[in-house]
Amino acid sequence: MVDIATRVWNHKWKIDPIVRSLIDTDFYKLLMCQSVFRNKPDTQVTFSLINRSKHIRLADLVDEGELREQLDHIRSLSLSRGESTWMRGNTFYGKRQMFSPEFMDWFENMKLPPYHLEKRDGQYELTFEGSWPEVMLWEIPALATLMELRGRAVLGDMGRFELQVLYARAMTKLWEKVEQLRDVPDLRLADFGTRRRHSYLWQDWCVQAMLEGLGDKFIGTSNCRIAMHRDIEAIGTNAHELPMVYSALADNDADLQQAPYDVLSDWHAEHEGNLRIILPDTYGTAGFLKHAPDWLAGWTGIRIDSGDPAEGAETAIRWWKSRGEDPRDKLVIFSDGLDVDKIVSLQAQFAGRVRVSFGWGTMLTNDFKGLVKDDALAPFSLVCKAISANGRPTVKLSDNPNKAMGPADEIERYKRVFGVGDQVAREVVV
Amino acid sequence: MVDIATRVWNHKWKIDPIVRSLIDTDFYKLLMCQSVFRNKPDTQVTFSLINRSKHIRLADLVDEGELREQLDHIRSLSLSRGESTWMRGNTFYGKRQMFSPEFMDWFENMKLPPYHLEKRDGQYELTFEGSWPEVMLWEIPALATLMELRGRAVLGDMGRFELQVLYARAMTKLWEKVEQLRDVPDLRLADFGTRRRHSYLWQDWCVQAMLEGLGDKFIGTSNCRIAMHRDIEAIGTNAHELPMVYSALADNDADLQQAPYDVLSDWHAEHEGNLRIILPDTYGTAGFLKHAPDWLAGWTGIRIDSGDPAEGAETAIRWWKSRGEDPRDKLVIFSDGLDVDKIVSLQAQFAGRVRVSFGWGTMLTNDFKGLVKDDALAPFSLVCKAISANGRPTVKLSDNPNKAMGPADEIERYKRVFGVGDQVAREVVV
């Protein structure tokens, strides 16, 4: 039977929104936002979209009007009562009241600041300026919007059955991954795929497929809206933007060298247990660990987000041992460029030696590779980063020179200050 | 938005019926029914279900209560007003009023006769007795019911996402076939898959996929309900049951030898053009063609339904030439054990030499091979045949001894009467 009201509603709805809620974002953005709200609320930052896959000419593929419509819609969003209740009342990482009443009061009244959009050389220049706690919340919605609009541009030309078969193929592909992962003993896997997902509905499908297919091996999702709706754990800790902005704010080389540890010192004061996860690669993992204060060795774990992941984990294990810690008590979270084969081999290599978990992103929520002509839906590498703080440029080095960003002279300065030597370049696919 | 009325309706509906309508059947059953109604209305027949795939223990797989519920539901069906209007008013094979007012009056008031159901050796003995025009209409619904109940028994144990992925895989599989067939020049293909379909909804999906994917190359479906709902051609001519019953009614060997031609003589009086299709293999193609009267050579075409299909077509071509007919004016319909590779090779071999078309059955509407554990959804060979007429056993030989049926002594008698020599046995898969 046709539900006439629903049909009519569908017609009058001006757009089918890509981002439906302010909590359709990664959990760690909210955790970091609260930290920034507490510790650096007045910092002025600029975030910018950066397409690392230059061959994807986004401005040729995505209509500017549609993009503006989606971004305007995101700016119209505010926290709903139910979302606020969930954030205030839910248990995150075993803790109640993770978000303070002061932060929630502010977040409930927050709307995202304006955006600046221009086309240049077949790409969109999309930037956001303003106070850090507000601007930082643009990252995930902006990325998800561009990723999905690029997909919609391709899907728009397809027939009804072609479309159905496309999703049939994508479902089959994902389910085959789930079936492979199901057999991996002691696996612990989370969805980290919000930013580069094919679409919200598809991410939601992927999460439900993992819930059914992996059972306890699926530990949760980084997406707060999906975590809330599916009643599962929201997962995430912190990201490069904290050391990047803290470092940009440093007035001299000595302060700069200290900045990444200041980030974790603030974090230490706020969080405990499984939220105490080191992200060591912003300015090179080796140097970061070498100069780290002893209290950091007491943290729960480390997240490996660039460079060779096995090498990163081995480095961490050596470091823990050198600081008198037992690696078997420590958690290693792999979150860079994962797909089934890599998950299986990393689990085999490190299970029993450390506690292992995986944050699976793009190849979970956007593996449409090879499914349409010209591979027009293959995922690509889009990021949205803090590029300046209080007027100073930010820098990221990471353990892969292909992921480095910032002005060339500043990159050289950071390399010198952090003692980063030769690095092995690795292809950045997603 | 939830359509509450639909939800409540779904709950109160006692069963989800497998067969929804008396015209959820093959078009040729209705054509043959009308012919029988005209020519042999008082013949008493018995039809019986025969599972040629003995390793599929249907009675162990399918619950008897569910089977009875479905069969009872089918007995409750009668022709709806819209269906009657379609049959009376639609153009079939270019002809209006294909079904006479007398036949329609009878059909509108017809309900299917009782069934007899017993379990034996892990199989169901399911038989139907009564007047031929009524009993014959059980064939397709009975087959579709058993096929689908066997599938449902497997599907019942699957999770929600497993189910979705199962259909995703089946859709992908079918669409890959459509994509291969799309490139075959001058292809003419019809759906003949009602009897061994996975389900009505799946058959309907397959038909729509072919409509979108093959365009003009898809010429219609044998399923009347789908033809009506999708506004496409209903396809079909006649089947083995006519010569089988006519032959059983023959009083002596001379009459027996003549019986298959009597069938076509009656058909000749009723139909013209593309409905004049010879089905020559009931008692061996070679002998049938050799002894055929000359007027049969003037018929439009031939349907190849057993034996090696290329050999059958070559035999027909030689026969037409021997009777002074130009094979290029003739239609060869392949309808036995087809899948993409065979369709492609037969088209390549015969295009230009004859007019070619294909009636694609089981591997169109039930190719779930390899999609679940233990291949529990692989199609199998189930038929429902006239086994006696006015108390005398029927016999079928066909061009494949593995498809022969009837009492052994009668098979020998028929082989003698029709001069059938050695035959090559071919595996019967579906």
Side-chain angles (χ1 to χ4, degrees):
Chain A
M1 211 176 288
V2 175
D3 180 342
I4 301 171
T6 300
R7 283 273 273 260
V8 172
W9 169 255
N10 287 345
H11 274 288
K12 88 192 196 109
W13 183 229
K14 70 182 162 57
I15 50 166
D16 182 14
I18 288 173
V19 175
R20 292 147 201 243
S21 145
L22 280 185
I23 67 162
D24 180 10
T25 193
D26 281 340
F27 180 65
Y28 78 174
K29 290 303 292 197
L30 301 182
L31 281 188
M32 288 190 291
C33 185
Q34 171 167 261
S35 182
V36 168
F37 175 80
R38 270 186 195 139
N39 301 307
K40 309 273 183 196
D42 301 323
T43 311
Q44 296 296 300
V45 295
T46 303
F47 271 60
S48 175
L49 192 80
I50 300 160
N51 180 3
R52 296 193 287 215
S53 306
K54 294 282 173 237
H55 63 284
I56 308 285
R57 293 174 61 87
L58 278 176
D60 296 345
L61 296 168
V62 170
D63 179 75
E64 184 176 335
E66 276 185 60
L67 175 54
R68 287 186 181 275
E69 201 171 20
Q70 295 292 342
L71 296 173
D72 291 342
H73 174 72
I74 294 169
R75 286 202 66 214
S76 78
L77 295 171
S78 61
L79 202 64
S80 80
R81 188 160 161 173
E83 291 164 347
S84 174
T85 301
W86 180 76
M87 286 182 68
R88 286 174 183 267
N90 192 42
T91 303
F92 300 101
Y93 281 83
K95 180 178 166 184
R96 285 213 183 275
Q97 286 210 296
M98 175 72 79
F99 298 102
S100 71
E102 298 71 31
F103 175 71
M104 289 308 302
D105 289 345
W106 168 83
F107 193 37
E108 279 166 3
N109 291 295
M110 200 242 16
K111 294 211 174 195
L112 286 174
Y115 60 88
H116 309 277
L117 179 66
E118 275 179 67
K119 281 186 184 188
R120 187 162 309 179
D121 297 335
Q123 299 294 344
Y124 280 115
E125 295 197 339
L126 178 59
T127 54
F128 311 94
E129 285 179 47
S131 79
W132 191 8
E134 289 177 4
V135 167
M136 68 188 292
L137 295 174
W138 260 117
E139 178 186 356
I140 307 299
L143 290 173
T145 298
L146 262 306
M147 291 304 291
E148 185 163 347
L149 282 180
R150 180 266 204 156
R152 286 187 187 185
V154 176
L155 303 175
D157 294 329
M158 294 174 69
R160 192 173 148 202
F161 278 72
E162 268 188 299
L163 276 176
Q164 201 176 6
V165 170
L166 171 67
Y167 285 102
R169 284 177 170 156
M171 286 175 180
T172 301
K173 209 170 173 188
L174 179 63
W175 193 255
E176 274 158 16
K177 296 185 186 190
V178 168
E179 285 180 332
Q180 281 179 270
L181 292 172
R182 177 187 277 167
D183 298 331
V184 178
D186 302 320
L187 184 68
R188 290 170 54 81
L189 186 69
D191 157 34
F192 275 20
T194 301
R195 69 190 58 206
R196 292 196 202 101
R197 70 189 180 198
H198 172 76
S199 71
Y200 176 82
L201 294 176
W202 178 247
Q203 183 183 15
D204 192 37
W205 191 89
C206 294
V207 165
Q208 291 175 78
M210 299 227 288
L211 265 174
E212 182 177 304
L214 295 184
D216 286 350
K217 290 174 177 162
F218 178 59
I219 58 173
T221 173
S222 64
N223 187 293
C224 296
R225 188 170 198 262
I226 295 177
M228 174 178 155
H229 279 263
R230 300 296 165 199
D231 207 7
I232 54 182
E233 294 294 322
I235 304 277
T237 54
N238 57 64
H240 300 106
E241 71 174 283
L242 296 178
M244 284 169 73
V245 173
Y246 274 55
S247 296
L249 298 177
D251 287 325
N252 52 54
D253 288 357
D255 286 357
L256 173 58
Q257 200 172 22
Q258 194 53 35
Y261 306 111
D262 292 343
V263 168
L264 299 186
S265 172
D266 283 347
W267 198 261
H268 193 87
E270 292 172 292
H271 300 296
E272 50 201 23
N274 282 347
L275 284 171
R276 287 186 175 168
I277 301 295
I278 305 166
L279 180 65
D281 68 328
T282 316
Y283 304 117
T285 295
F288 178 86
L289 292 179
K290 191 171 153 196
H291 300 112
D294 274 336
W295 54 264
L296 256 189
W299 273 33
T300 306
I302 202 162
R303 182 157 72 91
I304 312 287
D305 201 46
S306 66
D308 178 66
E311 207 175 293
E314 296 290 0
T315 302
I317 289 171
R318 280 194 302 273
W319 175 67
W320 279 315
K321 284 183 179 166
S322 76
R323 301 288 178 114
E325 301 280 335
D326 185 345
R328 287 171 299 182
D329 300 332
K330 299 297 184 180
L331 180 61
V332 173
I333 301 172
F334 295 103
S335 64
D336 182 39
L338 293 176
D339 207 352
V340 170
D341 289 349
K342 195 170 289 177
I343 291 170
V344 169
S345 73
L346 289 170
Q347 175 76 16
Q349 186 172 348
F350 292 101
R353 300 174 58 204
V354 289
R355 291 158 51 209
V356 180
S357 87
F358 298 91
W360 192 14
T362 312
M363 297 309 281
L364 166 62
T365 60
N366 200 357
D367 187 2
F368 282 64
K369 236 179 18 186
L371 298 188
V372 295
K373 207 157 59 80
D374 304 328
D375 219 355
L377 288 178
F380 62 104
S381 188
L382 192 68
V383 294
C384 180
K385 293 285 186 187
I387 56 166
S388 75
N390 288 351
R392 295 172 182 171
T394 66
V395 169
K396 181 186 172 188
L397 299 177
S398 97
D399 287 329
N400 180 359
N402 287 343
K403 282 186 166 183
M405 48 166 288
D409 56 340
E410 286 293 301
I411 288 183
E412 284 315 306
R413 176 178 158 239
Y414 274 63
K415 282 179 120 170
R416 174 175 52 74
V417 168
F418 290 103
V420 175
D422 287 344
Q423 292 180 306
V424 180
R426 297 167 60 88
E427 188 191 7
V428 179
V429 179
V430 291
Chain B
M1 211 176 289
V2 175
D3 181 341
I4 301 171
T6 299
R7 281 274 274 261
V8 172
W9 170 255
N10 287 345
H11 273 289
K12 88 193 196 105
W13 183 229
K14 69 181 163 58
I15 50 165
D16 181 14
I18 289 172
V19 175
R20 292 147 201 243
S21 144
L22 280 184
I23 68 163
D24 180 11
T25 193
D26 280 341
F27 181 65
Y28 77 174
K29 290 303 291 197
L30 301 182
L31 282 188
M32 289 191 289
C33 184
Q34 171 167 258
S35 182
V36 169
F37 176 80
R38 269 185 195 140
N39 301 306
K40 310 273 183 195
D42 302 323
T43 311
Q44 295 298 300
V45 296
T46 303
F47 270 59
S48 175
L49 191 81
I50 300 160
N51 179 4
R52 297 192 288 215
S53 307
K54 295 281 174 238
H55 63 285
I56 308 286
R57 294 173 62 87
L58 278 176
D60 296 344
L61 295 167
V62 171
D63 179 75
E64 184 176 334
E66 276 185 61
L67 176 53
R68 287 185 182 277
E69 203 172 19
Q70 295 292 342
L71 296 172
D72 291 342
H73 174 72
I74 294 169
R75 287 201 67 213
S76 78
L77 294 170
S78 62
L79 203 64
S80 80
R81 191 160 158 171
E83 290 164 347
S84 176
T85 302
W86 180 77
M87 285 183 69
R88 286 173 183 268
N90 192 43
T91 303
F92 299 100
Y93 282 82
K95 181 177 166 185
R96 287 211 181 275
Q97 287 211 295
M98 174 72 80
F99 298 101
S100 70
E102 298 72 35
F103 175 71
M104 289 307 302
D105 289 345
W106 169 83
F107 193 36
E108 279 167 1
N109 292 293
M110 199 238 25
K111 296 213 172 192
L112 288 174
Y115 59 90
H116 310 277
L117 179 66
E118 274 178 69
K119 281 186 184 186
R120 187 162 311 176
D121 295 334
Q123 300 293 343
Y124 281 114
E125 294 198 340
L126 177 59
T127 55
F128 311 94
E129 285 180 45
S131 79
W132 191 9
E134 290 177 2
V135 168
M136 68 188 293
L137 294 175
W138 261 116
E139 178 187 356
I140 308 299
L143 291 173
T145 298
L146 263 307
M147 292 304 292
E148 185 164 344
L149 282 181
R150 181 265 205 159
R152 287 188 186 185
V154 176
L155 303 175
D157 293 330
M158 293 175 68
R160 194 173 147 202
F161 278 71
E162 268 188 300
L163 276 175
Q164 201 176 7
V165 170
L166 170 69
Y167 286 101
R169 284 177 170 156
M171 286 174 180
T172 301
K173 209 169 172 188
L174 179 62
W175 193 255
E176 273 158 15
K177 296 184 184 190
V178 168
E179 285 180 331
Q180 282 179 268
L181 292 171
R182 177 188 277 166
D183 297 329
V184 179
D186 302 321
L187 184 68
R188 290 170 55 79
L189 186 69
D191 156 36
F192 275 21
T194 302
R195 69 191 57 207
R196 290 195 204 103
R197 70 190 180 198
H198 172 76
S199 72
Y200 175 81
L201 294 175
W202 178 247
Q203 183 183 15
D204 192 38
W205 190 91
C206 294
V207 164
Q208 293 175 77
M210 300 229 286
L211 267 171
E212 181 177 306
L214 295 183
D216 287 351
K217 290 176 176 161
F218 177 60
I219 59 174
T221 174
S222 65
N223 187 294
C224 296
R225 187 169 198 261
I226 294 176
M228 175 178 154
H229 279 262
R230 301 295 165 199
D231 208 7
I232 54 182
E233 294 294 322
I235 305 277
T237 55
N238 56 65
H240 299 106
E241 72 173 283
L242 296 179
M244 284 169 72
V245 173
Y246 274 55
S247 297
L249 298 176
D251 287 325
N252 53 55
D253 288 356
D255 287 359
L256 173 59
Q257 201 172 23
Q258 195 52 37
Y261 306 111
D262 293 342
V263 168
L264 299 186
S265 173
D266 283 348
W267 198 261
H268 192 87
E270 294 171 291
H271 299 295
E272 50 200 23
N274 282 347
L275 284 171
R276 286 186 175 166
I277 300 296
I278 305 166
L279 180 65
D281 68 328
T282 316
Y283 305 117
T285 296
F288 178 86
L289 293 178
K290 189 170 156 198
H291 302 111
D294 273 337
W295 54 265
L296 256 189
W299 273 33
T300 304
I302 201 163
R303 181 157 72 90
I304 312 287
D305 201 44
S306 64
D308 178 67
E311 205 175 292
E314 295 290 0
T315 302
I317 289 171
R318 280 194 302 273
W319 176 67
W320 279 315
K321 285 183 176 165
S322 76
R323 301 289 178 111
E325 300 283 333
D326 186 345
R328 287 171 300 181
D329 301 331
K330 299 297 186 180
L331 179 62
V332 173
I333 301 172
F334 295 103
S335 63
D336 181 38
L338 294 176
D339 207 352
V340 170
D341 288 349
K342 195 169 288 176
I343 291 170
V344 169
S345 74
L346 288 170
Q347 176 77 13
Q349 185 172 350
F350 293 101
R353 300 174 60 203
V354 288
R355 292 159 50 211
V356 180
S357 86
F358 297 91
W360 193 14
T362 312
M363 297 309 281
L364 166 63
T365 60
N366 200 354
D367 188 3
F368 282 64
K369 235 174 25 180
L371 297 188
V372 296
K373 206 158 59 82
D374 303 330
D375 220 356
L377 288 177
F380 62 103
S381 188
L382 192 68
V383 295
C384 180
K385 293 286 186 186
I387 56 165
S388 74
N390 287 353
R392 294 173 183 170
T394 65
V395 169
K396 181 185 171 189
L397 299 177
S398 97
D399 288 329
N400 180 358
N402 287 343
K403 281 186 167 184
M405 48 165 290
D409 56 339
E410 285 293 300
I411 288 183
E412 284 314 307
R413 178 181 157 234
Y414 275 63
K415 282 179 119 171
R416 175 174 53 73
V417 169
F418 290 103
V420 175
D422 288 342
Q423 291 179 306
V424 180
R426 296 168 61 88
E427 190 192 5
V428 179
V429 179
V430 290

